[in-house]
Amino acid sequence: MKNKIKVCHLTSAHNRDDVRIFKKECTSIKKAGYDTSLIVADGLGDDVVEGINIYDVGKLNGRFNRFTKTTANVYKKAIKVNADLYHFHDSDLMPTGLKLIKKGKKVIYDVHEDLPGQILAKPYIKSYLRKPISIGLKIIENYCSKKYTYIVTATPHIKTIFDKRNKAIDINNYPFSNELNSDNVDYFSKPNEVCFTGAISEIRGLREVVKGIKNLDTKLNLAGKFQQNYFREQLIKTEGWKNVNELGLVSREEVKTILSKSRVGIVTFLPSPNHTYSQPNKLFEYMSAGIPVVASNFELWKRIVEDYDCGICVNPESPQEIENAIKKLIDNPELAKKMGENGRQAVKAKFNWASEEEKLIRLYEEIL
């Protein structure tokens, strides 16, 4: 019966191989027996990957085009797919979701971020405009979210926001238990290297990290794409840049290699409404790889890191605290290895995708 039920995921901004959208949610739903499609706007053409139909509406440059023409193209393609359930992943597709509801379709809004909080930290929006835009988007999101069939959120905190508006469930962005784990690596033979993997921007605290390693005999494996060109230009002039291995955008397999040779994973995002209550992928990915973390001392993050004794929490705005934490873990490999093992066991027991996959499949069964 399930193989006759069509579900379609929609994104106007994410890559077709996005970890949450494709590798976790789409593949899990396909595995459960649903006819699964994904509509993207990346310009790479249509394809079929792991039995999932990928439809590309083409890539247009500029945010205005994404919010207008791209969303219109996604809607047109969605109507042609004629699915029983649509599951969309970008706030600019909120009007698309409403149109599909009016067509009698079931629609899930997958909320990855606290959108109003995220706007307050957007560097491309002039500072005096951020608050009014944030308030406006909160009003729009509040109105639209009441209309959808269900809300899926990436964290429990975001769920508490939407509980007041509609039926909501948190499907946490936990890693696959063994995807990034390298069992054959001897922790004590690793070079003096730490790592940061993911999108690189000011708000993610990399300036403070680079300053924090300037006096250490330690290299930072920096893997990811700079979100702002000006920030890279500033960062390479920072004294600690001499200790940075700039690796650029890398594949998931390369991420695994980087983690296998690093002694510590860094996730010291700066304070912002969208970070304080978030659960960053990389925190759990470092844990799953068996390396200790140096993380921001936000209350939620501290509960995870300190309760499971898998790293050290610091003030992310203090290069000195970052330096001290890295030095402690580098100078005490037995402690670091133990913390890494604690993190790995926590992922195996709790913070893994298998438990979230079950929740997602149960949700689809309830709706359909």
Side-chain angles (χ1 to χ4, degrees):
M1 183 67 182
K2 281 182 189 174
N3 59 9
K4 296 180 181 179
I5 298 176
K6 297 178 71 173
V7 300
C8 182
H9 285 244
L10 315 174
T11 177
S12 56
H14 292 80
N15 297 327
R16 64 181 59 205
D17 60 351
D18 180 86
V19 175
R20 177 177 178 84
I21 298 172
F22 181 82
K23 294 185 181 296
K24 292 177 182 172
E25 293 185 344
C26 285
T27 55
S28 293
I29 291 306
K30 175 64 179 177
K31 186 172 64 175
Y34 294 98
D35 182 342
T36 307
S37 300
L38 170 63
I39 297 175
V40 298
D42 59 10
L44 300 178
D46 296 348
D47 202 354
V48 179
V49 181
E50 298 183 33
I52 297 165
N53 297 306
I54 299 177
Y55 301 109
D56 177 24
V57 301
K59 183 175 182 178
L60 297 173
N61 293 324
R63 291 186 179 90
F64 182 76
N65 281 332
R66 197 186 98 195
F67 297 150
T68 54
K69 295 178 183 178
T70 296
T71 55
N73 292 338
V74 169
Y75 174 70
K76 289 176 186 176
K77 180 61 72 172
I79 291 299
K80 286 184 180 179
V81 171
N82 192 29
D84 300 287
L85 170 65
Y86 292 90
H87 186 149
F88 74 92
H89 294 267
D90 303 290
S91 58
D92 40 293
L93 291 173
M94 286 192 288
T96 303
L98 294 184
K99 290 179 184 178
L100 291 168
I101 286 285
K102 289 180 180 178
K103 288 283 187 181
K105 301 296 185 179
K106 299 181 187 302
V107 175
I108 292 173
Y109 176 23
D110 198 317
V111 189
H112 298 196
E113 309 277 357
D114 172 6
L115 177 62
Q118 187 184 40
I119 290 298
L120 295 175
K122 288 291 188 185
Y124 59 81
I125 300 175
K126 293 186 182 299
S127 57
Y128 65 87
L129 292 175
R130 291 173 193 167
K131 189 168 183 179
I133 291 174
S134 175
I135 293 170
L137 284 173
K138 184 175 182 178
I139 294 169
I140 293 169
E141 190 175 57
N142 182 50
Y143 170 80
C144 292
S145 60
K146 293 176 181 177
K147 307 288 185 181
Y148 306 131
T149 310
Y150 226 103
I151 306 295
V152 164
T153 70
T155 71
H157 171 70
I158 299 175
K159 178 181 178 295
T160 63
I161 298 172
F162 285 88
D163 276 335
K164 304 168 188 174
R165 307 174 186 173
N166 200 339
K167 294 178 290 186
I169 184 173
D170 53 293
I171 305 292
N172 296 280
N173 222 8
Y174 297 152
F176 299 106
S177 288
N178 296 314
E179 181 195 10
L180 299 173
N181 179 26
S182 299
D183 289 322
N184 298 326
V185 175
D186 176 15
Y187 185 86
F188 299 108
S189 68
K190 291 185 177 186
N192 280 0
E193 295 178 1
V194 301
C195 69
F196 176 94
T197 61
I200 302 168
S201 61
E202 270 191 282
I203 198 65
R204 294 194 166 198
L206 270 301
R207 190 194 314 277
E208 290 73 16
V209 173
V210 172
K211 288 181 178 179
I213 63 170
K214 68 179 182 180
N215 297 319
L216 297 176
D217 182 24
T218 302
K219 292 290 187 180
L220 169 66
N221 293 318
L222 183 62
K225 182 179 180 181
F226 277 87
Q227 302 299 293
Q228 307 106 6
N229 289 332
Y230 76 84
F231 181 56
R232 182 183 181 278
E233 293 170 4
Q234 292 175 2
L235 206 58
I236 63 177
K237 296 175 184 176
T238 304
E239 188 177 349
W241 186 257
K242 66 182 185 298
N243 289 334
V244 174
N245 294 323
E246 185 181 10
L247 304 173
L249 194 61
V250 299
S251 68
R252 293 293 288 175
E253 192 59 36
E254 289 170 315
V255 169
K256 181 176 180 178
T257 300
I258 292 165
L259 297 182
S260 73
K261 61 183 290 194
S262 298
R263 288 180 174 265
V264 179
I266 310 294
V267 54
T268 50
F269 291 3
L270 300 182
S272 79
N274 191 47
H275 287 162
T276 308
Y277 297 102
S278 70
Q279 294 183 156
N281 294 353
K282 57 180 55 50
L283 172 63
F284 299 108
E285 290 181 348
Y286 296 154
M287 291 166 62
S288 73
I291 60 174
V293 301
V294 172
S296 301
N297 59 357
F298 307 145
E299 183 180 348
L300 174 60
W301 297 23
K302 283 183 70 175
R303 283 207 302 269
I304 296 169
V305 173
E306 294 182 357
D307 285 359
Y308 291 93
D309 192 23
C310 60
I312 300 173
C313 288
V314 299
N315 175 359
E317 296 177 296
S318 169
Q320 187 62 59
E321 285 196 27
I322 294 169
E323 176 185 340
N324 292 344
I326 293 173
K327 188 175 189 305
K328 181 175 180 179
L329 292 171
I330 293 292
D331 290 348
N332 296 275
E334 290 282 359
L335 172 67
K337 184 176 187 297
K338 177 60 177 171
M339 285 182 167
E341 283 298 325
N342 291 343
R344 180 182 295 176
Q345 292 305 317
V347 168
K348 286 183 177 180
K350 180 177 180 179
F351 303 113
N352 63 78
W353 176 247
S355 59
E356 304 307 296
E357 179 182 71
E358 291 177 6
K359 289 160 62 176
L360 181 65
I361 292 170
R362 284 199 302 269
L363 173 63
Y364 271 49
E365 290 173 345
E366 176 187 334
I367 293 174
L368 293 168

